């Protein structure tokens, strides 16, 4: 059994007026993620939103036979390509990129992937902490190369410069791995807004207490705010339940019981957890031993015995496909068997070879032929003759579609708008009803070049966003934000018009040369 919760807040810094973090929590698909947007204004928010949406869509359509690590790599590469392309098509989004860290759980198999400095922590049933990701940042790479100590990295002026992100370059190489998970394991996926204020040892302490994931998220948020909340903060907590639910039931400590090395409210990021240090003494942990794993032995259901043979009767000819054996019960067939006649004539006993009379022999032969013919016709009609083919249960086969009906309907309508925006305006422009309708109408006006009406429709869609279907809200918010960037700038409008007009002549997968090789600064 898996439980999860998430928290995402803007923080207290005036330098970050918007929350550019995004998170993904989809327990039915077993996929969880945190993305920390880069670029300022709405650019970072758009990038992180695109990343988690593409990842979520990939795993919502993942077949049971697919490899999760392969799917995660493909989704991150697709997100990188989409963000990179949009950043080079729209000047307002030119600097956008995003980090991402993702976790997929399938039974006792966990697949982990990340790009950037968002992290994933794992605490096993015995209370041991493992940082499953390595930061893709300038100072982290210097520390790994041995050219910088952890203390120097914590105070380095470039500690917020990441060396790898989705959308920063045309291609990206995510770090991926697959591990086995045992009951009683806890995971924390978080942005650096969490780790800049909470040390690894404190994270270990928080995850080993028996709180509900919602309580853990709330505790982490309060702790970060207590220490200044200098950045957007996002956390997703996932717990794999142990076999004994009575273990770890103590309440988490109050904020004032956690000892820290910092005297100031806003603290710098602490050094990574080291099992050899005395950081374990920061918290009194309740890490009682959990029971062993439950064995699957003896859980396999018993196989039912084979069904009894089904008799074939004239009233139920279709049972022939279900019957291992066939018993003929028609009166004619029983009479023939009683008289010991074969299908193609009478047997020696039936004809009566003792009777030397030619007439008797001839009569017996004729009677045998008649009854044999009757038996043959009966067997052909009930057994051999082709039966009308009945349609399969459930009707005709239909195209496979996502189980998410609102999302599928919205995407189909959006494709209809893109295919012929003028026709959509003619057909539906007079009476939009909800947020989705106003958004689609605005998109149609945008594609036809009527930016004034497009902005009015997008404004109404934004006003009705709270009433939209929850599965579409984040997609609508990101697309509406992008649309406002277009309708507010005549230069962008000219670029959009030019790109739309050249779509037929220009290959859809044309490469765009990056403007700069500089690393994104967060």
């Amino acid at each position: 059994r898996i439980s999860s919760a998430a928290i995402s807040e803007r923080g207290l810094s005036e330098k970050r007026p918007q929350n550019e973090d995004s998170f993904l929590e989809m327990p039915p698909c077993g996929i969880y993620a945190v993305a920390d947007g880069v670029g300022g204004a709405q650019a970072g928010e758009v990038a992180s939103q695109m990343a988690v949406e593409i990842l979520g869509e990939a795993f919502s359509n993942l077949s049971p036979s697919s490899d999760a690590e392969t799917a995660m790599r493909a989704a991150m590469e697709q997100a990188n390509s989409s963000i990179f392309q949009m950043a080079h098509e729209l000047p307002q989004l030119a600097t956008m990129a995003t980090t991402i860290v993702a976790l997929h759980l399938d039974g006792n198999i966990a697949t982990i992937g990340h790009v950037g400095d968002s992290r994933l922590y794992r605490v096993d049933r015995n209370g041991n902490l493992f940082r499953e990701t390595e930061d893709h940042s300038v100072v982290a790479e210097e520390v790994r190369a041995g050219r910088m100590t952890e203390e120097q990295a914590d105070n380095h002026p470039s500690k917020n410069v990441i060396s790898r992100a989705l959308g920063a370059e045309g291609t990206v190489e995510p770090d991926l791995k697959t591990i086995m998970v045992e009951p009683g394991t806890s995971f924390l996926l978080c942005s650096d807004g969490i780790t800049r204020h909470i040390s690894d040892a404190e994270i270990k302490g928080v995850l080993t207490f028996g709180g509900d994931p919602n309580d853990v998220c709330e505790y982490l948020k309060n702790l970060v705010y207590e220490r200044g909340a200098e950045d957007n903060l996002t956390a997703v907590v996932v717990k794999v339940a142990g076999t004994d639910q009575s273990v770890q039931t103590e309440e988490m400590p109050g904020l004032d019981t956690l000892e820290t090395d910092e005297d100031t409210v806003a603290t710098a990021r602490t050094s990574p957890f080291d099992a050899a240090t005395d950081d374990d003494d920061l918290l009194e942990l309740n890490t009682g031993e959990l029971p062993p794993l439950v064995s699957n032995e003896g859980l396999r259901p018993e196989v039912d015995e084979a069904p009894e043979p089904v008799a074939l009767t004239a009233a139920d000819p279709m049972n022939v496909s279900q019957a291992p054996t066939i018993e003929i019960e028609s009166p004619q067939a029983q009479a023939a068997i009683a008289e010991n006649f074969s299908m193609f004539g009478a047997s020696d006993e039936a004809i009566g070879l003792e009777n030397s009379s030619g007439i008797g022999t001839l009569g017996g032969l004729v009677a045998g032929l008649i009854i044999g013919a009757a038996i043959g016709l009966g067997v052909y009609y009930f057994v051999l003759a082709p039966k009308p083919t009945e349609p399969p249960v459930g009707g005709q086969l239909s195209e496979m579609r996502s189980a998410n009906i609102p999302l599928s309907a919205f995407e189909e309508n959006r494709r209809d708008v893109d295919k012929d925006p003028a026709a959509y305006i003619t057909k539906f422009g007079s009476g939009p009803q909800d947020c989705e309708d106003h958004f689609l109408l605005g998109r149609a006006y945008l594609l036809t070049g009527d930016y004034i009406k497009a902005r009015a429709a997008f404004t109404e869609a934004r006003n009705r966003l709270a009433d939209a279907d929850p599965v579409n809200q984040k997609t609508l918010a990101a697309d509406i934000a992008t649309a406002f960037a277009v309708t507010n700038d005549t230069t962008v409008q000219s670029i959009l018009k030019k790109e739309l007009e050249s779509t037929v002549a220009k290959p859809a997968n044309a490469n765009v040369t990056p403007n700069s090789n500089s690393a994104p600064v967060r």
Side-chain angles (χ1 to χ4, degrees), residues 300-334:
R300 181 175 298 177
E302 296 182 359
V303 180
D304 295 333
E305 296 181 357
E308 294 294 331
V310 182
L312 176 69
T313 64
D316 189 15
M318 293 307 293
N319 279 340
V320 67
S321 63
Q322 307 171 4
T325 59
I326 299 176
E327 299 177 5
I328 301 177
E329 298 179 357
S330 65
Q332 295 88 345
Q334 291 178 348

Side-chain angles (χ1 to χ4, degrees), residues 226-376:
E226 184 79 9
R227 298 177 179 178
E230 296 177 344
D231 196 355
N232 305 149
L233 55 114
T234 299
V236 176
V237 175
V238 184
K239 289 197 171 187
V240 181
T243 55
D244 185 354
Q245 297 300 311
S246 65
V247 176
Q248 297 182 345
T249 57
E250 294 185 15
E251 296 182 357
M252 285 185 292
L255 296 180
D256 55 352
T257 65
L258 286 174
E259 299 179 10
T260 64
D261 296 330
E262 292 80 13
D263 295 328
T264 57
V265 175
T267 64
R269 183 178 301 171
T270 59
S271 60
F273 175 74
D274 184 355
T277 66
D278 295 330
D279 288 340
D280 291 345
D281 297 333
L282 291 174
L283 294 169
E284 293 295 333
L285 306 181
N286 179 16
T287 57
E289 184 178 357
L290 294 175
L293 294 174
V294 176
S295 171
N296 291 329
E297 184 177 358
L299 298 181
R300 181 175 298 177
E302 296 182 359
V303 180
D304 295 333
E305 296 181 357
E308 294 294 331
V310 182
L312 176 69
T313 64
D316 189 15
M318 293 307 293
N319 279 340
V320 67
S321 63
Q322 307 171 4
T325 59
I326 299 176
E327 299 177 5
I328 301 177
E329 298 179 357
S330 65
Q332 295 88 345
Q334 291 178 348
I337 295 172
E339 294 295 332
N340 295 322
F341 284 108
S342 67
M343 284 184 62
F344 302 103
S347 64
D348 291 344
E349 293 80 359
I351 295 175
L353 293 178
E354 301 86 352
N355 190 347
S356 60
S357 171
I359 296 176
T361 301
L362 180 60
L365 179 62
V366 171
L369 290 173
I370 293 174
I371 296 176
I375 295 173

Side-chain angles (χ1 to χ4, degrees), residues 23 30 43 54 71 136-137 171 223 273 326 343 351 382 437 440 449:
F23 69 89
I54 292 174
H136 298 147
S137 65
T171 59
L223 191 57
F273 175 74
I326 299 176
M343 284 184 62
I351 295 175
F382 292 118
D437 289 350
L440 294 171

Side-chain angles (χ1 to χ4, degrees), residues 406-447:
L407 178 61
S408 299
F410 176 70
E411 288 298 332
E412 287 184 1
N413 290 334
R414 183 157 60 174
R415 291 173 185 272
D416 289 341
V417 170
D418 294 347
K419 186 184 300 181
D420 193 346
Y424 185 88
I425 294 172
T426 301
K427 189 174 182 179
F428 300 106
S430 58
Q433 300 294 322
D434 51 24
C435 175
E436 285 87 346
D437 289 350
H438 284 283
F439 168 79
L440 294 171
L441 184 60
R443 188 180 181 92
Y445 282 128
L446 184 68
L447 294 175

Side-chain angles (χ1 to χ4, degrees), residues 353-405:
L353 293 178
E354 301 86 352
N355 190 347
S356 60
S357 171
I359 296 176
T361 301
L362 180 60
L365 179 62
V366 171
L369 290 173
I370 293 174
I371 296 176
I375 295 173
L377 289 173
V379 171
Y380 174 79
Y381 177 78
F382 292 118
V383 179
L384 302 179
K387 305 301 187 297
T389 303
E390 295 186 359
V393 177
Q396 299 294 325
L397 294 176
S398 60
E399 180 184 359
M400 292 182 64
R401 296 185 182 275
S402 167
N404 198 331
I405 302 303

